[in-house]
Structure formats: structure tokens, C-alpha cells
Amino acid sequence: MKKIFALIAVAALVAFAAPAFAANPFADVPMNHWAYDAVAQLAASGIVVGYPDGAYKGGQPATRYELAAVVARALAKVDMEKASKQDLEMLKKLVVEFKSELDALGVKVDKLDARVAVLEERIGGWKFGGNFRFTAKWADDSNYWGVDDDTNWTVDRFRWNITKYVDDNVTLNVRLQGGGGKSLDVDRAYATIKFPWDITAQVGRFPLDWEGDFYAGDFAGYMMNDAYVTDYDPLTTAVWFEKPFSMGKFEMFVAHEEGGESFSPELNWGTIFNWVHGVDDPEVVWEYVPDNYIYGARLAFDFNENFHVAANYVKYDFANEWEAADVYFDFEDDLLVHEFYGGDIDFSTLWGDLIVNFNENIAFKGQYFVQDLNDGWLDEDYTDDSPSAWKAILQVSQDALKFTDLWIEYAQLDQGFVFANADPYAWALSGSLFLDGSRVSADTTVLNVVAKQKWNDQWWTYVRYADFDVDAVDADYYNWTASVRYNYTPNLWFELGYDKLGGDAITAEGDDMVWFRTTVNF
Amino acid sequence: MRKTWIPGFAILLTLFASLAWASSYDSVLNRWSKTKDFADRGDSLSITATYYSAEFIEATVQKEADKNLWTADELDRYKYQFLKTLNLEDSIPVRLSFDNRGPALHMAPFGKQVWLWIGGKRYEPKDYDPRLNFRVQDKIEGMVYFPRFDEKTGRDLLKGAKTVKLEVSGSISMTMKAKTAEFVWDVANDNPEALFAGKAGARLEMDRLIKRLEKLNGEKKDLEGKLEQVKAEIEKIQARMAELQKQ
């Protein structure tokens, strides 16, 4: 019974002592500084006991030297009481924070010098990082998600990033990426070079995204809608220059892509066997895509902290005309038939960006795109040589609503608008149903609403609803997504999600999917 | 868009109705803290930059005072220590926080990865928290100090500046897809001089004067020492000349 009273007494002491300490303003270390919380936490666990004279001093401020002395006392005490690993980590951070004061006080800290040496060694050295991802999916066999035989388990990504800070003017970045049983490929490899007059250049295989502010994703960008034109990852064999100025920047790039011939589906002995023996009549498309250059330029300007505009231009310039042929076997005449077609497929996109921040938590964003398509893109179904697209977005941060982030996007796409780089709404399916190849098949409007919430450091959730209203018969569809993520540590998390498709265009049974992901960063 | 707009508008209405929650201090503090989010198909990084404007510092101090029910003297002491830490007399302080949920960040040497644009010129930090050079796999934050005065002319860089822009290099993480993080603040109405009014300001000025006095006394001592040396040299020469005249 006495034990219980003793415990109550200790609990009461802790209850009163902790707020007294918490109210203690280490004036050199503001309340919103990590060191304040760290010391308070150490105090709560009994490692830090107060000022050097042993007394809490209410609201009286302390100097950094006084606080360093507290840390020094804690260091001495830790050895005796063997604190937890978490407390030791915290102390280590505090030691680094107050290193100069501790040095001045003559406090010797084991391993501190070694830590600093490691730090110095890392400057200029090779640096490594990366991640690993395991994904399991379950869906009906007949489905829209690329899940075969109901279930698909795969280590779908392994990334290994390598960075070398060569000198003050040159940094080298390489990303090796593999997954799904494939070997590691050089995904990115580029050098960043600083020139005089604040000019920066990149050369190699590098990512380029001028529309990062205009598309939403989940917390980690797994299932994101994407840019309409850029977000090249990577832009192959390219050179990029940037010249920033006080309130804006000018950027330009030139990339070169190698063309080539291909058959779709792949032409093989099986196809030929079927042709010769008349088993079926498979049609094969032969395609020749010529080499091409991609040119891009961008001018961005901030009038002030609340008003941002940018003008962007990207042109695809092919060396020759694109050629294609439908290949099939004519059994009546015993002939292999080739029906050729093709044309000039050069095209360009000009677009403008606008961001208006109503305050620190609410922003309006808008984009307007117009394209100039050459003859190769036009036929009896696609007659518009200058299709346009636009989107308007209202974005609200979790700080404003106190319970969730909100992204509300409305977009309109003209028939014939070309997505040359990526299908921007591919997350909802393996490929958007309103696309014909890379072209919008009919006028389409998109409503995309994403609500993301960080409940605390461990639990995050998001819900998304996307509606595709396509100006064609039985072509509308929608997608619901809900996900729960648990951050077991900052470098390991689990995510469980559910996707549901619906609408006139969804005819197969497999219209829903459950997925589970594990991600580890290093 | 059929019925899908109805829940959309309902959400919007809820949203604007709930915006009234923010307290006055929080809205000031939030105004000077800006966050940029980066995502790269599985990796994410949030960078938050806080500019220590006079308005931000006053709001921080007042919030602490209200929270702890401080007297005017206690508030002045806190403000004094706070301002002293920020080195406002010769620096422009910015706090940077990184929340990394992707491959490790490598930001060393951090002093070459951030810049502050003021009036058409780009400035590197004069000092920063050395922990920002460490490999980062979760969260880290640290202070970065940019010069407040032009090295050559001594001119106050913020005088007449309408906006400042902080840039963080896209080289620190592949999650940023080689894109620079930019943070813009309008500082035309900011008045750091006002912070130095009152008791806290007087104490800081006294500190500066004490330092200056110490420095001048040191110089005086040096000069007096040199004067003594010169006097001794003169006396030595005069004595030698007298000897020579006698010969």
C-alpha cells in the first residue's frame, strides 16, 4: 500500500515539475526549437535535473552556457544510469548543438571529435542513399490494374542513389534503379555545373519537371496524376541551362532522342506460323519513329510572395516523317499485305502558369495549354490542329482546416490534345480510358479531389475521388482511392489501400483492388 | 459534371467556415514560415523555411509571454536573449527544417547549397548549423545566417529591399528532381530596427557598446605599447647620437 502512495507522490511530483520546466524559457533556445523539447524530454525522463545550482528558476531565462552546463551534467549522469538509446541520441544532438559552449567549459565529450572528423570526411566524398519497395496487389482476374491471376506480389523497386560533390562548381548524381526481377539500370546520370553569373547547367540523363506545383499525389507520389507536358524522368541525353535572377528565372534545354523501328505486337515465329497456317489473322503494326530533338524554354517570375506567373514552351522536332504500316496476311490472294501511312508529327506546346496565394494556407493555381500539331496528327477523326487544355486548382493546407489538406482540381481537355511524355491520369487505371494512344479521344473534363491528413507522425491517410466526363457514348468513369499509411520509423512504412472504379466505361468485373506496400529508405 | 460538384461545394463551404480557427499569433507565425513539398514516385521531402522578420520575432516573444504569463521584465529578458541568439545586428537569420521520407539527404557542404537573393544579388550564408552537414534520414532543422551588410560598402542589404528569395539547391536530394526550392517573402514593410527599441534593445546596445569599448581599449593598449616602443627607440637613438657627438 505504501508503494502505491509513493508512486502517486512521484507521479504528482512529475506532473508539477514537468510543467515548471516546460515553462522555463531557455531564452537562447526558443520554444519552437528542437533543443527546447529535447531538454524538456530529458528532464521528464530524469536525466536533466535543472540548472547548475540544482533549482528550477521559473520564468527566468538561461544562457546557452547555462544550458550547456545542464547538458554536461546530463552527460555525466548518463554513464551512471545507462539511459535509453533514444535519450542518448538526443543527448548526442544536444552535444553537437552546444559544442562550442561545452568546449569553452572544458567538457570532454567522447566520440565528439570523431563525429566531427566523419563530418569533414563526408564533405566531398561519395554519398549513398536509396530505397526498397515491396508491393502486393489483389484484384479480380479480369481487371483494369494489370494484376494477373487475382494476385500480384513484387519487389517493384530498388533505388540506389550515388552523389559526388566534386568541388564547389561540380556535383555528379547517379541513380541505379531496378525492380520486378530486372537488373539495376542507370536511370539517371548527370552532372550539375555552376558557371559565372549564377548560371547553372546540367548535362546527361536528368529529370526535368516544370509543372510540379500543378499536380496532386499521395504523400509519396506513388499514385499521382502527372504533368501534361514535362516531368521527364529522365530527359535522355540532354543539356539544360538556368539563369536565375532576383524574382524569377529563365530556363532552357535541348534533348535528343534516338528513333527506330518496332513491331507491335512483337513480330515472332509464332505470328508467322499463324499467318502461314491460317490459324488466325493477327494484325501487326510496324512503326518507324525518326530521331528527334526536344527544345524547351521557360520564363518564370514572382511579382511578390503571393503572385507567380510563368510562360513555357516545348517543341518536338523530328528528323523525318513518322511511318507506320498495318501488316496482315491476305488468305484469298496468299499475300502479306502492308498498308502504309504516316506524316509529319512535329508539334509544340505553349502554356502559361499562374499561382495566387490568398494567404499562407490557401492557393489558387491555373494552367492554360495550346498545341500546334502538324499534319501527321490529323485524320478524319482528329481535325483540330491547335487543341487546348486548361486546369484550375484550389489547394488548402492542413494548417488551415486543422484536419486535412485539400486539393480540388478541375480540368478540360480538347479532343486531339497530345500527352507526349506521360499519361497524366494513369494512376486511376493502367492507362486512361479517354486516351487514344497519346491523344485525347474526345473532349473530356476531369474533377480530381484529394484529401490528405497527417494525424500524427505515425498515421497518415488520404482519400481521392476522380471523375472523368468524356464526350462519347458510355465513356465516363470514376475512381475512388482510400489509403492508410503507418510510419513504423521515419525510414520504414506500411501502406494499405483500396481502389474502386465505376461508371459507364467500366464493364469488366474486376473494378476494385486492394494493395499493400512496404517501403524502406536508407 | 453532374452530381459530383455537390460534395465539392460542401467541402469548400466547410473549408472556408473553418478558417476562422487560426489564432492571431499563429497567422503571423505561419505567414513567415513557408513549406515546399517534393514527391518522386515513392519518395517525399518537405522543406520549411522561416524568415525571422521583426513581425515574426515580436509574435514569437508575445506568444511565449502570453503562454507563460510573464511580467514585462521577464518578457524583456527573454526578448534580449532571443535577439542575441539570432545575431540580428549583423545577420539575416532563417530557420530551415527538412522532413525527409525518402533516400538519405546529403547536404554537405551546406553553405554551398543555399542562397538568399536580395535586390538582384545572391548571397551565400556566413554561418549555419553544422548539423545540416550530416546525413539525414528523417527530420532535421537548423539556423542559417546570411550577411546583413555589404562586405565592401557596409550598406544594409535589406534597406529598400521589397522582397527576399531563399533558394535551396536541388542537388541535396534526388527527390527534388533537380529542381531548386524557392521561398519568397515580402519584406518591404518589415522594420528590424523597431526590435531594438525598449529595454531589450537597450541591453543589446549596451552589449555592443561594451564589446566596442573592449575592442577600443585593446587597440588603445596596443597603441600605447607601440608608443612606448617608439619612445624607447627615440631615447636610444638620442643617447647614441649624444655619444657620437662626444667622440
Side-chain angles (χ1 to χ4, degrees):
Chain A
M1 203 58 187
K2 277 181 183 175
K3 263 188 182 175
I4 292 172
F5 281 123
L7 282 172
I8 291 169
V10 170
L13 273 174
V14 170
F16 287 104
F21 190 90
N24 230 340
F26 293 117
D28 289 345
V29 188
M31 290 288 280
N32 53 4
H33 193 284
W34 69 270
Y36 188 94
D37 291 337
V39 174
Q41 209 169 318
L42 290 175
S45 61
I47 290 176
V48 173
V49 291
Y51 287 88
D53 64 2
Y56 294 119
K57 293 183 179 177
Q60 186 175 326
T63 65
R64 285 179 66 87
Y65 278 100
E66 285 173 316
L67 191 52
V70 175
V71 175
R73 282 163 54 95
L75 282 167
K77 198 170 179 182
V78 160
D79 288 340
M80 290 184 290
E81 298 191 359
K82 300 197 188 305
S84 70
K85 192 182 169 194
Q86 193 186 5
D87 288 337
L88 285 173
E89 280 296 320
M90 205 175 282
L91 260 179
K92 201 159 69 178
K93 279 186 172 179
L94 285 167
V95 165
V96 176
E97 171 76 25
F98 297 105
K99 180 182 178 298
S100 52
E101 286 83 1
L102 288 166
D103 284 348
L105 290 169
V107 177
K108 297 289 179 194
V109 184
D110 289 343
K111 296 181 183 173
L112 181 61
D113 290 342
R115 181 85 193 253
V116 172
V118 168
L119 164 67
E120 285 167 356
E121 189 182 313
R122 278 188 187 142
I123 295 176
W126 291 94
K127 301 158 187 172
F128 300 97
N131 56 23
F132 153 92
R133 193 172 86 188
F134 166 79
T135 303
K137 294 178 182 176
W138 296 270
D140 287 337
D141 193 26
S142 170
N143 66 78
Y144 296 88
W145 315 100
V147 179
D148 299 325
D149 296 330
D150 295 345
T151 306
N152 186 325
W153 287 29
T154 176
V155 175
D156 57 348
R157 178 173 294 167
F158 178 76
R159 279 178 174 170
W160 193 21
N161 295 338
I162 305 164
T163 302
K164 168 78 176 170
Y165 186 83
V166 180
D167 58 39
D168 283 356
N169 293 320
V170 183
T171 306
L172 186 68
N173 285 294
V174 178
R175 169 180 283 174
L176 305 177
Q177 181 164 314
K182 292 178 185 169
S183 56
L184 282 177
D185 284 331
V186 179
D187 180 46
R188 300 175 183 174
Y190 59 97
T192 306
I193 306 160
K194 288 180 189 169
F195 289 109
W197 302 295
D198 302 324
I199 293 171
T200 303
Q202 276 175 181
V203 59
R205 290 168 61 87
F206 51 84
L208 185 135
D209 186 5
W210 288 345
E211 297 164 75
D213 290 326
F214 294 91
Y215 54 86
D218 56 22
F219 289 105
Y222 285 127
M223 301 179 73
M224 64 204 300
N225 62 328
D226 210 333
Y228 282 9
V229 181
T230 55
D231 197 15
Y232 299 100
D233 193 14
L235 195 60
T236 54
T237 53
V239 182
W240 166 89
F241 290 94
E242 178 191 69
K243 166 62 184 168
F245 47 93
S246 178
M247 292 305 290
K249 65 170 64 171
F250 175 73
E251 294 174 70
M252 56 177 288
F253 73 86
V254 182
H256 184 260
E257 292 180 326
E258 295 295 320
E261 292 181 63
S262 63
F263 288 93
S264 177
E266 195 179 333
L267 189 61
N268 54 31
W269 286 110
T271 314
I272 294 168
F273 178 87
N274 288 341
W275 275 340
V276 172
H277 295 279
V279 175
D280 55 19
D281 185 15
E283 184 176 288
V284 173
V285 176
W286 167 84
E287 189 179 31
Y288 162 68
V289 179
D291 287 6
N292 71 285
Y293 280 102
I294 312 172
Y295 307 103
R298 167 181 168 86
L299 182 63
F301 191 77
D302 294 295
F303 286 95
N304 53 45
E305 66 178 23
N306 294 321
F307 196 62
H308 167 91
V309 293
N312 312 266
Y313 178 78
V314 168
K315 180 177 173 64
Y316 284 71
D317 187 8
F318 291 85
N320 301 299
E321 289 196 346
W322 164 72
E323 292 176 47
D326 294 336
V327 185
Y328 59 93
F329 201 82
D330 183 342
F331 290 101
E332 286 182 7
D333 298 328
D334 278 350
L335 284 174
L336 190 64
V337 179
H338 307 72
E339 289 181 355
F340 282 96
Y341 49 93
D344 179 357
I345 55 167
D346 288 1
F347 77 102
S348 62
T349 309
L350 176 68
W351 77 98
D353 301 338
L354 168 71
I355 298 177
V356 180
N357 297 312
F358 295 118
N359 60 33
E360 62 277 5
N361 294 318
I362 304 174
F364 170 80
K365 300 176 176 182
Q367 283 186 300
Y368 180 79
F369 303 81
V370 61
Q371 292 186 324
D372 181 15
L373 308 179
N374 280 11
D375 295 346
W377 292 100
L378 308 178
D379 55 31
E380 62 272 16
D381 295 325
Y382 298 93
T383 55
D384 186 359
D385 65 355
S386 55
S388 61
W390 62 267
K391 66 164 88 168
I393 299 152
L394 183 68
Q395 186 177 12
V396 185
S397 79
Q398 186 169 328
D399 286 340
L401 292 171
K402 304 296 179 196
F403 68 93
T404 186
D405 273 6
L406 200 56
W407 174 280
I408 303 170
E409 171 188 339
Y410 179 75
Q412 283 198 346
L413 312 166
D414 278 358
Q415 184 196 38
F417 193 86
V418 177
F419 294 117
N421 179 44
D423 175 354
Y425 298 101
W427 89 87
L429 292 160
S430 300
S432 293
L433 294 180
F434 61 83
L435 285 186
D436 172 12
S438 58
R439 288 184 296 192
V440 176
S441 61
D443 291 352
T444 300
T445 57
V446 181
L447 174 68
N448 180 28
V449 180
V450 185
K452 296 190 289 191
Q453 182 167 8
K454 292 182 177 178
W455 299 85
N456 50 44
D457 267 359
Q458 273 75 44
W459 292 98
W460 298 358
T461 58
Y462 78 86
V463 178
R464 172 171 46 210
Y465 174 74
D467 183 283
F468 302 90
D469 189 354
V470 186
D471 191 12
V473 178
D474 291 340
D476 297 351
Y477 64 102
Y478 62 83
N479 169 233
W480 277 103
T481 309
S483 155
V484 180
R485 169 166 154 173
Y486 176 66
N487 298 300
Y488 183 64
T489 73
N491 303 303
L492 166 63
W493 61 81
F494 307 103
E495 194 173 2
L496 181 65
Y498 172 72
D499 263 271
K500 168 78 179 170
L501 285 167
D504 301 335
I506 305 302
T507 52
E509 288 176 0
D511 58 4
D512 52 6
M513 175 181 67
V514 174
W515 43 272
F516 177 75
R517 281 202 176 92
T518 303
T519 302
V520 179
N521 293 304
F522 60 91
Chain B
M1 288 308 302
R2 307 189 311 265
K3 296 169 195 168
T4 52
W5 277 110
I6 297 168
F9 279 121
I11 291 167
L12 267 180
L13 282 175
T14 314
L15 155 74
F16 284 108
S18 58
L19 292 182
W21 290 358
S23 79
S24 56
Y25 292 137
D26 287 341
S27 91
V28 172
L29 297 176
N30 286 343
R31 152 137 168 57
W32 296 97
S33 277
K34 295 178 187 293
T35 300
K36 297 281 179 188
D37 294 318
F38 297 87
D40 181 21
R41 295 170 182 83
D43 311 330
S44 65
L45 171 68
S46 283
I47 306 175
T48 301
T50 305
Y51 182 88
Y52 281 76
S53 68
E55 186 186 39
F56 178 86
I57 292 167
E58 287 293 357
T60 305
V61 171
Q62 285 299 332
K63 191 177 178 183
E64 287 305 305
D66 286 2
K67 191 174 167 184
N68 297 301
L69 303 174
W70 284 339
T71 63
D73 276 351
E74 285 171 329
L75 183 147
D76 270 332
R77 274 201 296 273
Y78 178 81
K79 187 175 171 183
Y80 164 72
Q81 293 287 359
F82 195 27
L83 293 176
K84 207 172 165 187
T85 310
L86 292 173
N87 296 325
L88 272 177
E89 63 274 17
D90 63 353
S91 301
I92 301 171
V94 176
R95 189 175 72 232
L96 277 168
S97 309
F98 298 85
D99 186 357
N100 181 36
R101 307 283 173 155
L105 288 180
H106 298 279
M107 303 192 282
F110 191 77
K112 298 289 178 187
Q113 311 282 18
V114 290
W115 314 276
L116 190 69
W117 283 88
I118 312 169
K121 277 192 77 177
R122 198 156 90 154
Y123 297 90
E124 288 183 359
K126 54 185 277 195
D127 193 15
Y128 61 89
D129 188 328
R131 290 174 307 121
L132 293 168
N133 279 326
F134 290 174
R135 172 191 168 94
V136 179
Q137 281 202 255
D138 42 22
K139 293 182 182 180
I140 194 166
E141 67 174 31
M143 295 297 297
V144 185
Y145 300 93
F146 294 92
R148 190 174 207 92
F149 299 99
D150 188 284
E151 263 188 12
K152 290 176 187 168
T153 63
R155 182 179 60 89
D156 185 348
L157 298 174
L158 288 173
K159 205 167 188 177
K162 288 183 180 172
T163 52
V164 295
K165 181 171 74 173
L166 179 81
E167 290 184 332
V168 180
S169 167
S171 294
I172 62 168
S173 166
M174 287 220 195
T175 305
M176 295 171 74
K177 295 193 273 192
K179 197 177 173 189
T180 306
E182 297 174 7
F183 304 89
V184 178
W185 293 279
D186 294 341
V187 295
N189 297 322
D190 191 35
N191 181 18
E193 299 302 321
L195 288 170
F196 294 98
K199 279 186 188 174
R203 280 185 74 184
L204 280 171
E205 191 178 354
M206 183 63 84
D207 286 350
R208 276 202 302 273
L209 292 176
I210 289 169
K211 271 188 193 170
R212 178 90 181 128
L213 203 60
E214 279 173 2
K215 198 178 168 191
L216 287 172
N217 277 331
E219 285 175 12
K220 185 184 165 195
K221 207 174 172 183
D222 284 348
L223 289 172
E224 282 174 349
K226 281 181 187 168
L227 189 64
E228 288 303 318
Q229 280 178 358
V230 172
K231 274 184 183 173
E233 185 79 18
I234 290 171
E235 281 171 11
K236 200 174 167 185
I237 290 168
Q238 283 174 340
R240 179 64 185 152
M241 284 171 70
E243 278 177 21
L244 290 171
Q245 280 171 351
K246 284 177 189 171
Q247 285 177 3

